[in-house]
Amino acid sequence: MIIATQLVPRGFSAITVWPFILVRPASVRDKGLIEHELVHYREQRWCTPVWWARYVFSADFRLAAEVRAYPRQIDAGG
């Protein structure tokens, strides 16, 4: 579920906390950004707490997650 909100942390345009994709209102029409967050959405759907713990505490895991997401964003024109 995509929700336009100002609750997105500073420095981010969007954040996925399964089952929600929180997007700043100014970025809600950014197709590339939404595609990027959909990758994270799919990653999180089976183990959100574990995924977030690894994302926060492991730079290697975080880098791998972003490397998987950015090509989708670029392909979508974002």
Side-chain angles (χ1 to χ4, degrees):
M1 176 185 309
I2 298 171
I3 300 172
T5 179
Q6 292 295 336
L7 296 176
V8 177
R10 233 178 250 196
F12 295 90
S13 297
I15 188 169
T16 298
V17 181
W18 196 88
F20 306 105
I21 298 175
L22 306 176
V23 183
R24 289 191 183 276
S27 299
V28 78
R29 297 198 189 281
D30 184 337
K31 198 172 198 175
L33 177 65
I34 300 301
E35 285 297 322
H36 177 103
E37 293 304 323
L38 283 170
V39 171
H40 295 316
Y41 180 89
R42 288 182 201 99
E43 292 170 338
Q44 291 179 30
R45 73 177 169 222
W46 62 276
C47 64
T48 299
V50 173
W51 191 93
W52 268 105
R54 291 183 70 194
Y55 190 88
V56 169
F57 295 112
S58 172
D60 289 338
F61 182 83
R62 186 170 44 255
L63 177 62
E66 295 307 323
V67 166
R68 286 189 300 272
Y70 275 113
R72 290 285 298 268
Q73 183 172 357
I74 292 166
D75 289 346

